[in-house]
Structures are given as C-alpha cells and as structure tokens.
Amino acid sequence: MTKMRRIGSIITGLIMIAAGFMMAADARNVYQLLIAILGISLLISGIRSLVYYVSMARHMVGGRVALYRAVIILDMGMFTLTLTDLPLFCVVLYLAGLHGFSGVIDILRSLESRRLQAASWRLKFGSGVVNLVIAGICLYFTGDVKVAVIVYAIGLMYSGLYYIIRAFRKSAIAYDDSPAV
C-alpha cells in the first residue's frame, strides 16, 4: 500500500468512527440517515467494482466474478435506498443479513489464507467473528429502532478501526515512493 493510500485509509477509518459515535449518540433520530448511508456506500462500492471490472478484471482469468460482484453490490445499494417506507423489522433483518454474509465470507477467506500460510489470517478471522456477532445482536433485537441504529454504529466504528489497522500493516510488496529522475 502506498503512503497516500495509507493516509486515505486512516482518514476514512477516522471518519467512519466519528460517524458511528454521532449515530450512537442520537440513535432515535437517525433511522433515515442509516438507510441513506448504507445505500450510498453500497452504491459507491458497486460502482468502484464495476470500474475495476471494466479497467482490469475483464482481461483477467475469472474476471467475470468481479462483474457479478459489482452488479450484486450495485443492486443491493439501490434496494437499500428503497427501504425507507418498510417497517423496521425488514430493515433490521436486511442489516443482519449483510453482517452475517460478510462474516461468513471473512471467515472463509481467513481459513483459505491460513491454509496458504498467510500472516494476516487472524485479522480476517476476527473481522468475520465480529460481523457474525453483530448479525446475531441484530436478530436478537429486531423490534427496537434504537438498538438497530446502535448496532449499525458499532459496526461502522469497527469497520473504521479495521481500516486504520489495515493501513498500519506491512505490505508484501515494497514500494519506491521516490521521484523518478
């Protein structure tokens, strides 16, 4: 990771942590904001994945998987933005499903990394376990708006912390940031 990406990752993590604290402080009044943030972040992630497919992945072996992932994330973002009129129960189930799916994927990736003897499998495994715990808490408290917002805020703060930790990890590739002569 280059120095600029590390700085960007740290800034993103700090913004996510601050947004999580602000959401947890006023949990009753940010239900619509929660849906907007979740939907917009999924849309941005889907667009970034689509750009990645168009620019690089379509030329790679197995690049269609990146296209499928981009389309699914884009659809999830558009669907999330339409959830404003649904009852809270549906939104909490959707949030639990997102965290549960993310947790399972992280755990499976960490187990694959462990089989390949990679050094960072523990961090991925921990991330997956935390996401599964957040999904379980969401399922347990399905009827309370305040708890749903606080759980999302905790997940947001955890993701911000993960971004910061990932920024300080050593890269496998050494970058030369010196200017070319």
Side-chain angles (χ1 to χ4, degrees), residues 35-100:
I35 293 173
I37 289 173
L38 187 59
I40 290 171
S41 64
L42 285 170
L43 278 176
I44 290 171
S45 178
I47 291 170
R48 286 180 64 193
S49 296
L50 198 58
V51 168
Y52 169 70
Y53 170 76
V54 170
S55 63
M56 287 183 60
R58 68 183 171 143
H59 303 294
M60 297 169 25
V61 174
R64 269 198 204 141
V65 174
L67 175 65
Y68 299 148
R69 184 181 309 133
V71 170
I72 289 171
I73 292 172
L74 212 58
D75 285 344
M76 284 174 45
M78 287 186 268
F79 175 71
T80 303
L81 289 174
T82 64
L83 294 178
T84 56
D85 296 332
L86 286 178
L88 172 72
F89 179 75
C90 297
V91 174
V92 172
L93 284 179
Y94 181 69
L95 186 61
L98 284 176
H99 277 287

Side-chain angles (χ1 to χ4, degrees), residues 27-29 31 34 88 92 141-150:
R28 284 276 178 215
N29 301 323
Y31 176 67
L34 179 143
L88 172 72
V92 172
F141 295 106
T142 53
D144 192 5
V145 177
K146 186 176 179 180
V147 172
V149 171
I150 288 174

Side-chain angles (χ1 to χ4, degrees), residues 35 41 52 67 100 111 117 123 131 140 142 164 168 170 172:
I35 293 173
S41 64
Y52 169 70
L67 175 65
L111 294 176
Q117 298 175 346
L123 185 62
N131 274 325
Y140 187 73
T142 53
I164 292 171
F168 285 110
K170 289 186 179 181

